[in-house]
């Protein structure tokens, strides 16, 4: 495949937890590494301001998590020589563009957003709902458009935000009669089980639900988690038939086990029990993620500081140029 002229790619993860999980990896990070290795120019952001929408009372934890998330990027194969690894709040242009977009984004677009409706429901009362939650997709749009990227590799849950982003880009261009922004591509895994990886409880695997297997979990932690994972509720004895589509353990086997088709067939026919599935899954997952875990354990703290400072500088160079174009289009000083 020949590369497009603009090879910039932007994506990020919220630093709501010090550890990324397999869903973050399958939905997004794995594609970042592939794109980097194909020669795309990657901007890998740690979204600390986004984390504050739900952790505004724990800013120090967010700051700690941000460094840890950067370590997971690198352990997973992001090469800081090739790709910019940076923290959102180190590049102030994200806040500036967010403010300008917030002036021109219709409220209806944000109130209709399904992820906003879900989070709002979780919070219960409007009194407890922070202003920043509604504006989340506007900040995300600023994050993306600052880099005028070719594409944005994310999991499927981000699709509604990506749409709002391209709509804001179109609105900006038409309001100020310019072509500062071009639509970016949504790079969501085609394989449904990677696009939305289920958690150990079969809800979406999420940092904030604590229902995931983390990239940097130890062999023992992984084993403990898999032992308590959700399986077919009606499969009580070994010879009861299973329903692999609804079983977290079978979903992970499909991703990581070369023998998953046989394992699924035997599960369906009641020829194997959940314990055997779990035992085999523990082995393949620990095997697969061992090199990443070892790389992460060897990362040097001082090195991370240098990587983040250098990444922010590279990000700022593109972000500053975008802000020049934005202000010029708007006729601002
Ligand atoms: P939080 O609960 O704090 O929102 P999260 O686990 O949803 O955490 P995000 O930081 O919101 O993670 O998302 C980072 C990236 O990981 C995004 O590209 C998102 O689409 C992707 N992602 C998150 N969860 C999954 C999942 N279960 N399956 C596939 N991709 C996922
Ligand atoms: Mg999320």
């Amino acid at each position: 495949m020949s590369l497009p002229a603009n090879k910039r790619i932007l994506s990020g993860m919220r630093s709501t937890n010090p550890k990324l999980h397999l869903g973050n990896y399958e939905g997004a990070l794995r594609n970042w590494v592939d794109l980097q290795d194909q020669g795309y120019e990657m901007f890998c952001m740690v979204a600390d301001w986004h984390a504050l929408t739900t952790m505004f009372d724990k800013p120090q934890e967010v700051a700690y998590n941000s460094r840890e998330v950067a370590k997971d990027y690198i352990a997973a194969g992001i090469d800081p020589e090739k790709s910019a690894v940076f923290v959102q709040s180190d590049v102030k242009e994200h806040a500036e563009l967010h403010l300008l977009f917030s002036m021109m984004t219709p409220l209806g677009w944000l109130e209709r957003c399904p992820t906003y409706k879900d989070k709002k429901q979780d919070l219960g009362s409007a009194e407890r709902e922070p202003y920043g939650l509604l504006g989340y997709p506007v900040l995300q749009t600023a994050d993306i458009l600052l880099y005028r990227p070719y594409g944005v590799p994310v999991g499927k849950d981000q699709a509604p935000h990506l749409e709002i982003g391209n709509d804001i880009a179109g609105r900006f261009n038409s309001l100020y009669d310019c072509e500062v922004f071009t639509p970016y591509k949504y790079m969501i895994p085609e394989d449904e089980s990677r696009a939305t990886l289920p958690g150990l409880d079969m809800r979406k695997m999420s940092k904030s639900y604590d229902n995931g297997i983390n990239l940097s979990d130890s062999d023992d932690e992984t084993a403990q988690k898999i032992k308590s994972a959700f399986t077919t509720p009606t499969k009580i004895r070994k010879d009861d038939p299973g329903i692999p589509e609804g079983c977290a353990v079978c979903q992970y086997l499909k991703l990581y086990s070369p023998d998953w088709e046989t394992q699924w067939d035997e599960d369906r026919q009641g020829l194997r029990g959940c314990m055997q599935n779990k035992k085999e899954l523990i082995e393949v997952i620990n095997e697969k993620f061992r090199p990443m875990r070892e790389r992460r354990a060897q990362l040097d703290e001082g090195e991370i500081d240098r990587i983040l400072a250098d990444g922010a500088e590279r990000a700022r160079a593109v972000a500053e140029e975008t802000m020049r174009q934005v202000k010029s289009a708007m006729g601002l000083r």
Side-chain angles (χ1 to χ4, degrees):
M1 186 190 74
S2 65
L3 288 179
N6 168 13
K7 295 184 295 179
R8 276 192 308 273
I9 300 281
L10 175 283
S11 196
M13 313 256 179
R14 276 155 43 96
S15 44
T16 44
N17 193 294
K19 293 178 167 193
L20 295 178
H21 54 66
L22 301 190
N24 300 135
Y25 180 71
E26 293 300 335
L29 187 51
R30 189 170 136 185
N31 282 352
W32 303 4
V33 176
D34 286 347
L35 289 163
Q36 165 191 274
D37 295 344
Q38 288 167 38
Y40 285 86
E41 187 186 355
M42 301 297 300
F43 289 85
C44 307
M45 181 182 76
V46 179
D48 59 344
W49 282 336
H50 280 292
L52 290 176
T53 52
T54 46
M55 289 180 69
F56 52 84
D57 52 344
K58 298 178 194 122
Q60 284 156 352
E61 260 182 58
V62 171
Y64 170 79
N65 295 346
S66 296
R67 292 175 60 87
E68 296 300 306
V69 169
K71 289 183 195 168
D72 272 345
Y73 291 176
I74 297 162
I78 291 297
D79 175 356
E81 295 282 320
K82 293 185 189 156
S83 303
V85 177
F86 70 101
V87 179
Q88 183 183 32
S89 63
D90 283 342
V91 183
K92 305 296 179 234
E93 285 75 9
H94 288 254
E96 192 180 10
L97 189 57
H98 166 245
L99 181 124
L100 293 177
F101 284 161
S102 77
M103 301 300 168
M104 67 192 69
T105 304
L107 199 51
W109 292 6
L110 304 175
E111 285 171 339
R112 272 198 300 274
C113 181
T115 50
Y116 169 67
K117 287 193 202 158
D118 289 350
K119 282 253 159 53
K120 190 180 161 83
Q121 204 160 25
D122 290 350
L123 284 169
S125 92
E127 278 307 306
R128 286 167 49 202
E129 180 193 324
Y131 167 63
L133 188 65
L134 180 68
Y136 191 109
V138 185
L139 179 57
Q140 188 168 334
T141 299
D143 299 335
I144 295 171
L145 293 182
L146 264 183
Y147 300 89
R148 290 166 284 128
Y150 168 76
V152 184
V154 285
K156 195 175 175 187
D157 60 312
Q158 295 301 316
H161 297 164
L162 295 191
E163 268 170 44
I164 292 177
N166 268 335
D167 288 348
I168 294 177
R171 188 170 167 84
F172 182 94
N173 286 353
S174 80
L175 274 171
Y176 306 112
D177 195 17
C178 67
E179 288 178 7
V180 173
F181 300 115
T182 36
Y184 50 80
K185 299 216 175 323
Y186 309 171
M187 298 171 143
I188 297 171
E190 276 170 24
D191 175 352
E192 196 53 43
S193 51
R194 282 183 58 203
T196 312
L197 191 75
L200 293 158
D201 56 3
M202 281 304 278
R203 292 187 294 167
K204 179 187 99 71
M205 192 180 280
S206 287
K207 286 185 247 99
S208 48
Y209 297 161
D210 198 19
N211 63 347
I213 300 170
N214 299 318
L215 296 177
S216 58
D217 281 343
S218 66
D219 285 8
D220 282 350
E221 284 167 328
T222 305
Q224 285 311 321
K225 286 181 176 179
I226 291 174
K227 280 180 193 156
S228 67
F230 185 93
T231 53
T232 308
T234 48
K235 184 170 168 61
I236 300 172
R237 285 186 316 248
K238 186 179 147 194
D239 50 6
D240 290 330
I243 306 167
E245 291 79 5
C247 158
V249 173
C250 291
Q251 291 299 314
Y252 307 146
L253 281 173
K254 185 177 175 197
L255 279 175
Y256 299 114
S257 167
D259 308 322
W260 73 272
E261 279 166 314
T262 316
Q263 288 159 327
W264 274 41
D265 268 351
E266 292 179 2
D267 182 84
R268 263 203 201 97
Q269 294 177 45
L271 298 175
R272 59 160 56 222
C274 297
M275 281 314 291
Q276 190 183 345
N277 283 342
K278 288 178 174 179
K279 187 172 156 286
E280 290 169 10
L281 178 67
I282 291 166
E283 276 170 28
V284 283
I285 288 202
N286 283 338
E287 194 64 37
K288 156 116 188 149
F289 291 100
R290 186 162 299 125
M292 256 184 233
R293 292 168 181 173
E294 286 172 0
R295 252 199 313 274
R296 194 185 200 278
Q298 283 164 4
L299 289 171
D300 172 81
E301 293 293 334
E303 185 65 21
I304 298 293
D305 286 334
R306 282 191 293 280
I307 288 168
L308 292 178
D310 175 62
E313 202 173 308
R314 281 149 74 181
R316 224 175 277 126
V318 181
E320 282 171 356
E321 171 53 28
T322 302
M323 287 315 296
R324 267 194 291 280
Q325 295 186 21
V326 162
K327 288 182 206 170
S328 155
M330 293 176 75
L332 290 175
R333 273 155 47 85

